[in-house]
């Protein structure tokens, strides 16, 4: 009888509470609305938790404030108080290193930001900065929560302020996996990297309806602010992908190339690629004719460890290549002219792209390698009126301000102000090398001869023959491969086949470099 009575005893208070907690936690994961997860999948999108699972190491994610709910009233809000308030926040590991994350849950209020939602994001951002760990934002939200009015807007202000405070302190990565409109778009713009997915991501300040009402132009969400628009035209996004899985895998790759914070060096891996590997292929990759195009990526592939590099902004400003790679297992940032696009000239977009990359590398202790084959700045009224002077100055300022190890290599031509801007010795490069095919000069021999010998050519009986003779004379006297080396502007002229060995040795020597800028609150870079 006693055993039977024990079986019918009501559950204890502790058991009731544990059962209640289990039910709440299940609701936190499942979401408040039946079918909301399937609806997200029907949109071609993953849920916030599925995305976090792809980003983080298995079973490493720890969620914070999962039971948070808003306290807004009016417009029926008091009757809709789902757990998490539409954003999942916490930390986990990526390749064993701590990373913080917040992910908008589009199933709840369309991922729109309200007061409690914003406070959760503020909390995880503060923790990331205090712990000195990267922060990844998985953005999929409909902007500010209209029902909460100005408190929602104030929440964005808190995010922006923290983005700015953490800039250059911890890596900040934004992954756009849905709508990101209005003021919400400014947070990604303040971070270090922006990833987007075709057919899924949209970023814009004003939507298609407003654009049509004001300008008469009709366009789709994708045409106005899709992944290809921002990765190829505006330069807002550094990366664009066809699916979320590939996108998040590359976020992991990028994190593996960055330090956790500005007080650390990037992770080092074991290198099985010999440091003294001979790069015979480089001799055939770069044509001797300075007017003939080639793909600078082939040079990078020959030089870096295992031919592997991670390019940033591949689709935008193609006349300069910016990439992260490893040499002897250590991370290096590469800025390279791209003769395949616009002959490798510097223009407004290329200057901005390279300047931002140089600044990022300097902020996170990534040495800089600059590969130079530049004929100058792009001439033209459009460039001048667009502000090529101030935009080009951004790149100049970024290099002059950088205190990380800096090495430049002139492969072929380096003319005029563009030569100076591309990390020449005169603006602080620690070491400058050149191949025997280099031409370092104010301008090309033809243009220089036309200026210097204008009168002599005009007065000649055979102007064309005189021009050819004087061009050859100018090239021989002022543009031979050793002219810059004889004047100490190049540390050595090297065999292209020895490029990897020379660069690896130089980088190894410079790893202990310590340089400080003058004491100041901050500089005032060109706008």
């Amino acid at each position: 009888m006693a055993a039977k009575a024990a079986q019918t005893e009501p559950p204890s208070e502790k058991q009731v509470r544990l059962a209640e907690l289990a039910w709440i936690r299940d609701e936190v994961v499942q979401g408040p609305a039946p079918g909301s997860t399937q609806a997200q999948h029907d949109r071609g999108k993953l849920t916030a938790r599925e995305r976090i699972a792809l980003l983080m190491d298995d079973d490493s994610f720890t969620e914070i404030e999962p039971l948070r709910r808003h306290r807004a009233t009016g417009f029926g809000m008091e009757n809709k108080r789902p757990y998490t308030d539409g954003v999942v926040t916490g930390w986990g590991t990526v390749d064993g290193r701590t990373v913080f994350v917040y992910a908008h849950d589009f199933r709840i209020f369309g991922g729109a930001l309200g007061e409690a939602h914003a406070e959760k994001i503020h909390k995880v951002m503060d923790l990331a900065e205090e712990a000195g760990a990267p922060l990844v934002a998985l953005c999929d939200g409909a902007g500010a929560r209209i029902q909460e009015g100005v408190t929602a807007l104030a929440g964005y202000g808190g995010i922006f302020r923290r983005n700015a405070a953490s800039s250059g302190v911890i890596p900040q990565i934004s992954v756009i996996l849905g709508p990101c409109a209005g003021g919400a778009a400014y947070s990604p713009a303040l971070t270090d990297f922006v990833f987007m997915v075709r057919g899924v991501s949209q970023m814009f300040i004003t939507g298609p309806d407003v654009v049509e009402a004001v300008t008469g132009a009709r366009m789709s969400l994708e045409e106005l602010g899709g992944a290809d628009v921002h990765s190829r035209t505006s330069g807002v996004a550094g990366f664009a992908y066809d699916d979320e899985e590939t996108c998040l895998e590359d976020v992991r790759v990028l994190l593996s190339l960055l330090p956790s914070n500005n007080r650390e060096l990037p992770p080092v891996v074991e290198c099985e690629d010999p440091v003294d590997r001979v790069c015979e292929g480089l001799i055939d990759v770069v044509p001797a004719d300075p007017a003939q195009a080639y793909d600078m990526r082939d040079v990078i592939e020959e030089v870096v460890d295992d031919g592997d590099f991670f390019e940033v902004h591949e689709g935008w400003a193609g006349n300069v290549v910016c990439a992260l790679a490893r040499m002897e297992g250590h991370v290096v940032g590469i800025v390279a002219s791209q003769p395949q696009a616009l002959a490798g000239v510097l223009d407004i977009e290329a200057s901005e792209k390279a300047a931002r990359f140089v600044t990022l590398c300097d902020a996170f202790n990534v040495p800089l390698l600059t590969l130079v084959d530049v004929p100058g700045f792009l001439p033209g009224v459009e460039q001048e009126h667009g502000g090529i002077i101030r935009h080009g100055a951004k790149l100049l300022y970024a290099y002059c301000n950088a205190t990380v190890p800096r090495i430049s290599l002139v492969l072929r031509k380096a003319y005029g102000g563009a030569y100076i801007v591309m990390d020449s010795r005169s603006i602080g490069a620690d070491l400058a090398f050149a191949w025997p095919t280099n031409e370092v000069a104010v301008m090309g021999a033809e243009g220089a001869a036309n200026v210097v010998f204008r009168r002599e050519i005009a007065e000649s009986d055979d102007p064309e023959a005189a021009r050819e003779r004087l061009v050859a004379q100018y090239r021989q006297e002022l543009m031979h491969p050793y002219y810059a080396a004889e004047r100490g502007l190049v540390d050595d002229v090297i065999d292209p086949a020895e490029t990897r060995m020379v660069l690896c040795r130089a980088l190894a020597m410079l790893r202990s470099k310590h340089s400080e800028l003058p004491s100041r609150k901050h500089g005032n870079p060109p706008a």
Side-chain angles (χ1 to χ4, degrees), residues 358-359 362 368 397-404 406 428 513 515 517:
V358 168
T359 300
D362 186 52
L368 285 162
Y397 186 96
Y399 269 124
C400 291
N401 216 39
T403 60
V404 293
R406 292 158 50 190
K513 175 186 175 182
S515 178
L517 295 172

Side-chain angles (χ1 to χ4, degrees), residues 407-482:
I407 299 172
S408 67
L409 169 65
V410 178
L411 281 65
R412 213 167 47 168
K413 56 188 177 294
Y415 296 158
Y419 153 65
I420 300 296
V421 168
M422 288 291 281
D423 206 20
S424 62
R425 275 285 301 275
S426 59
I427 65 169
D430 298 295
L431 291 168
F433 299 104
W435 284 359
T437 50
N438 83 83
E439 291 183 353
V440 180
V442 175
M443 62 178 67
E446 290 79 6
N450 286 337
V451 173
V452 175
F453 305 113
R454 180 187 295 111
R455 179 176 296 179
E456 187 174 342
I457 293 171
E459 294 175 352
S460 171
D461 293 336
D462 187 346
E464 192 56 40
R467 179 181 291 105
E468 290 182 9
R469 174 176 55 81
L470 294 169
V471 165
Q473 177 185 334
Y474 185 89
R475 180 176 283 115
Q476 181 179 7
E477 293 182 7
L478 294 177
M479 295 183 66
H480 63 78
Y482 307 101

Side-chain angles (χ1 to χ4, degrees), residues 66 154 204 223 227 350 394 418:
F204 40 74
E223 290 170 331
K394 292 178 183 179

Side-chain angles (χ1 to χ4, degrees), residues 213-265:
V214 174
T215 68
R218 180 178 298 178
M219 57 184 62
S220 67
L221 292 171
E222 198 73 13
E223 290 170 331
L224 179 61
D228 286 332
V229 168
H230 286 308
S231 64
R232 297 176 183 175
T233 304
S234 72
V236 171
F239 311 91
Y241 299 88
D242 292 327
D243 59 81
E244 294 189 32
E245 292 83 356
T246 306
C247 175
L248 291 168
E249 179 59 33
D250 265 10
V251 174
R252 289 176 58 91
V253 173
L254 176 58
L255 286 166
S256 74
L257 294 165
L258 298 172
S260 292
N261 56 66
N262 64 344
R263 300 183 301 277
E264 298 180 4
L265 295 175

Side-chain angles (χ1 to χ4, degrees), residues 189-323:
L190 289 167
T191 60
D192 300 305
F193 299 96
V194 176
F195 289 72
M196 297 185 74
V197 177
R198 297 180 181 93
V200 170
S201 313
Q202 301 96 34
M203 291 179 71
F204 40 74
I205 299 301
T206 54
D209 292 342
V210 176
V211 171
E212 183 179 2
V214 174
T215 68
R218 180 178 298 178
M219 57 184 62
S220 67
L221 292 171
E222 198 73 13
E223 290 170 331
L224 179 61
D228 286 332
V229 168
H230 286 308
S231 64
R232 297 176 183 175
T233 304
S234 72
V236 171
F239 311 91
Y241 299 88
D242 292 327
D243 59 81
E244 294 189 32
E245 292 83 356
T246 306
C247 175
L248 291 168
E249 179 59 33
D250 265 10
V251 174
R252 289 176 58 91
V253 173
L254 176 58
L255 286 166
S256 74
L257 294 165
L258 298 172
S260 292
N261 56 66
N262 64 344
R263 300 183 301 277
E264 298 180 4
L265 295 175
V268 180
V269 301
E270 185 176 349
C271 176
E272 297 181 355
D273 192 352
V275 170
D276 58 354
R277 171 170 52 81
V278 176
C279 302
E280 294 287 0
L282 290 178
I283 297 173
D284 298 323
V285 167
V286 182
D289 181 357
Q292 189 173 342
Y294 64 94
D295 192 344
M296 183 63 82
R297 296 184 185 91
D298 294 336
V299 175
I300 297 171
E301 188 175 328
E302 277 282 332
V303 171
V304 302
D305 292 354
D306 303 312
D308 189 23
F309 61 94
F310 191 79
E311 188 170 352
V312 181
H313 282 298
E314 180 180 355
W316 180 61
N319 39 327
V320 67
V321 175
C322 297

Side-chain angles (χ1 to χ4, degrees), residues 27-39:
E27 184 174 333
V28 165
V29 174
Q30 297 302 323
S36 58
T37 297
Q38 185 58 48

